[in-house]
Amino acid sequence: MKKQIFPFSMVDVFARQTLAGNGLSIFVLEQTLSTYMMQAMTREMRQFESIFLQKLETQGKWRAHIFTMEEELGFAGHPIIGAAASLHQGFHPEAETAEFEFVLNERSVFARSRQEHGNFFAEMNQGKASFNEPLSSTSTETFLKALNLHAHDQVTDLPLQVVSTGLPYLIVPIQQHLDKARICHEKFETLLAGVGAKFVYVLDVNRREGRTWDNDGRVEDIATGSAVGPAAAYLVRHRRAQAGDAQIFAQGAYVHRPSELHVCVNADDETILVHGQVCLVAKGELYV
């Protein structure tokens, strides 16, 4: 049986140089693939996430599917950022800027890429953040314990709260011991679902550094664009940051992949822009 050939690119997102930031596999497809096949290809690549793109008739508009090793996501940050820069480099290499619309299963996300001295930087508009009610003291205690943290680690005047720009994160604001944070509850995903969250984002408020994991706690994410948007909006909502100002978040140091994520909450309409540098790592072909 003749095998199909799928070209791919690999990039590092939110990275100031290669071999840092969050790795991503990008497939530009000429035909529609099944969910099963895209999931299998993602597992073969063994990146934290892969994005599959198919050009639509409208200029700059692409159908996009984002997969982790376990599932397809309705939205994710670093794949959109990485895809925008990769498409810019591949399809518009002479242009200083390029704009794209990515059509996901339930929403569209707009992104813009620019190149400067051969380096590519991309940003996406996450829209406005939505906020759930702050967690009760009982729920707060449960989550802190489940994350190997204590009450004195929490920033005393900031609540645990679920915030979303498409993927709901439980923001856990702490002032110390980010290095000790880990998921140590065997049913953590069930706990999160009980408060309307998909994932957790533990945020050292003073250092602007965050950590997040898969819900089994086995794999730590390196740079999470879908989390820093809600985190930035959370800090503005609770007056720890000013709308309109650039916020810079660090992530990935604990897995030796330092990352830098830039966020701005628009002062006029509260829309959130997330941006960062994207570095091309490799190009190749997958034979299936």
Side-chain angles (χ1 to χ4, degrees):
M1 182 176 178
K2 186 177 179 180
K3 292 186 177 181
Q4 292 180 287
I5 301 173
F6 295 97
F8 68 85
S9 299
M10 295 177 67
V11 297
D12 287 336
V13 184
F14 300 121
R16 298 175 69 93
Q17 60 186 21
T18 56
L19 308 183
N22 205 351
L24 173 72
S25 299
I26 303 166
F27 291 88
V28 177
L29 304 174
E30 294 184 357
Q31 73 269 41
T32 301
L33 292 182
S34 68
T35 298
Y36 173 84
M37 180 62 74
M38 289 186 285
Q39 184 70 80
M41 290 165 67
T42 299
R43 289 177 179 144
E44 182 69 21
M45 300 305 292
R46 301 199 67 79
Q47 292 278 43
F48 205 92
E49 287 163 356
S50 293
I51 187 166
F52 297 83
L53 304 169
Q54 195 168 5
K55 195 172 188 343
L56 300 176
E57 291 185 2
T58 305
Q59 179 71 21
K61 193 170 185 178
W62 295 79
R63 182 67 170 99
H65 295 272
I66 300 169
F67 283 81
T68 68
M69 296 275 285
E70 292 81 25
E71 62 181 335
E72 183 173 6
L73 297 178
F75 169 71
H78 97 275
I80 298 294
I81 296 284
S86 180
L87 291 176
H88 183 183
Q89 186 177 45
F91 290 86
H92 312 282
E94 303 302 321
E96 182 178 339
T97 63
E99 296 185 356
F100 304 96
E101 178 184 353
F102 296 99
V103 180
L104 301 168
N105 289 340
E106 298 179 359
R107 63 182 289 196
S108 287
V109 179
F110 293 87
R112 183 175 184 269
S113 173
R114 66 178 173 87
Q115 60 172 316
E116 184 178 301
H117 306 301
N119 297 316
F120 286 81
F121 304 83
E123 73 175 17
M124 65 176 169
N125 187 332
Q126 290 191 358
K128 296 182 181 180
S130 61
F131 294 79
N132 291 4
E133 289 296 318
L135 265 60
S136 67
S137 57
T138 301
S139 290
T140 294
E141 183 179 353
T142 297
F143 274 102
L144 289 174
K145 184 177 180 181
L147 290 162
N148 196 41
L149 296 168
H150 301 278
H152 59 265
D153 297 322
Q154 182 186 355
V155 179
T156 54
D157 59 340
L158 290 179
L160 275 66
Q161 190 170 18
V162 177
V163 188
S164 176
T165 59
L167 197 59
Y169 281 86
L170 173 63
I171 307 297
V172 179
I174 63 172
Q175 59 189 342
Q176 61 181 2
H177 293 155
L178 183 63
D179 59 321
K180 299 183 185 304
R182 61 184 179 88
I183 294 173
C184 53
H185 191 290
E186 63 180 10
K187 295 184 178 180
F188 192 71
E189 187 166 15
T190 301
L191 283 182
L192 287 174
V195 296
K198 177 70 174 177
F199 298 109
V200 69
Y201 194 69
V202 181
L203 174 64
D204 186 312
V205 173
N206 298 323
R207 291 162 46 194
R208 292 292 196 274
E209 184 172 7
R211 298 182 76 180
T212 184
W213 305 260
D214 70 345
N215 287 329
D216 292 329
R218 293 194 301 262
V219 180
E220 180 169 353
D221 199 3
I222 294 164
T224 317
S226 58
V228 295
Y234 171 92
L235 293 176
V236 170
R237 169 67 63 95
H238 294 286
R239 300 182 180 181
R240 291 303 182 96
Q242 186 73 34
D245 289 350
Q247 300 185 50
I248 302 176
F249 291 79
Q251 197 178 328
Y254 295 98
V255 286
H256 312 293
R257 300 278 297 190
S259 305
E260 186 176 280
L261 305 91
H262 296 246
V263 194
C264 181
V265 180
N266 191 294
D268 294 326
D269 61 8
E270 298 182 341
T271 57
I272 300 164
L273 296 177
V274 177
H275 66 99
Q277 187 170 345
V278 180
C279 301
L280 177 67
V281 178
K283 290 187 175 181
E285 297 176 334
L286 188 66
Y287 298 86
V288 178

